[in-house]
Amino acid sequence: MVVELLVEGAFGGVFWSLVGLALSRFVRDVLGRVLLAGVLIAAAAFYVVFAAGADAGPAWLAVEVLGVLLFGGMAVLGIRRSPYWLAAGWALHPVWDIVLHNIGPGRAFAPEPYTIACLSWDLLTAALIAVAYGTGFVGGRRGRTGRTEPVAAGVDVP
C-alpha cells in the first residue's frame, strides 16, 4: 500500500508541476507560480481541515494555521521574489507531512494515505521547480522576458 500511495503522489505532483511549469513557460511565469503556490498552500490547509474534523483542539488548530502561514509565506515569496522559495516550500513540506503527521503526534488525526502520498508529491514538485528554473526552461534566463538584471537609473539600454 505504501508504494501505491507514493506512486499516486508522484503522479499528482508531476502532473500539477508540469501544468504550472507549462503555464510559466508558454503563458506567463507568474501564472505558473501562482498555481504551484496555491497548491502548496492547499496542501498545508488540508491539515487544518483534518484537525478541525477530528476535533483535535485549539492548540492543534493553531499549529496547523501556523503551518499554513509558514508555507503560505514561502508561496508568496515564490510568486513575488524567487521561484526557489516555492521549491524550498515544497522541499520542506515533507517534514510537516511525515515528521509531524505521519510518525508524530498529528498521526492521531491526519490520514496516513495523505501523509504518505504527499512525500513523493512534495519532493518531486520541489525538484521539478528547481530543475526547470535552474536550467532556464522557465523564467528570465530563457531570454524571453528580456533583461533580467536591474538597470541603473540614467543608463541607456539598447
Side-chain angles (χ1 to χ4, degrees):
M1 178 165 152
V2 171
V3 172
E4 292 88 4
L5 291 169
L6 290 171
V7 169
E8 182 180 313
F11 276 114
V14 168
F15 175 79
W16 286 109
S17 295
L18 292 178
V19 170
L21 294 171
L23 284 171
S24 288
R25 180 168 173 88
F26 299 114
V27 181
R28 289 190 59 210
D29 188 27
V30 69
L31 293 178
R33 289 193 203 194
V34 166
L35 174 68
L36 294 166
V39 177
L40 177 60
I41 293 167
F46 276 118
Y47 288 111
V48 174
V49 174
F50 299 149
D55 199 24
W60 263 113
L61 282 175
V63 168
E64 301 304 348
V65 168
L66 284 174
V68 173
L69 293 174
L70 170 71
F71 293 106
M74 295 179 88
V76 169
L77 288 170
I79 294 169
R80 298 182 55 93
R81 306 276 183 192
S82 169
Y84 295 109
W85 280 104
L86 282 171
W90 280 107
L92 289 174
H93 198 258
V95 173
W96 200 253
D97 296 316
I98 301 301
V99 175
L100 188 61
H101 295 99
N102 186 272
I103 60 175
R107 182 181 184 113
F109 60 84
E112 185 178 41
Y114 182 81
T115 62
I116 293 171
C118 279
L119 176 62
S120 55
W121 179 307
D122 297 349
L123 294 176
L124 281 169
T125 299
L128 288 170
I129 293 169
V131 168
Y133 282 93
T135 62
F137 179 75
V138 294
R141 290 183 46 191
R142 291 186 304 111
R144 183 175 149 200
T145 60
R147 192 178 219 40
T148 58
E149 63 275 350
V151 178
V155 175
D156 188 25
V157 178

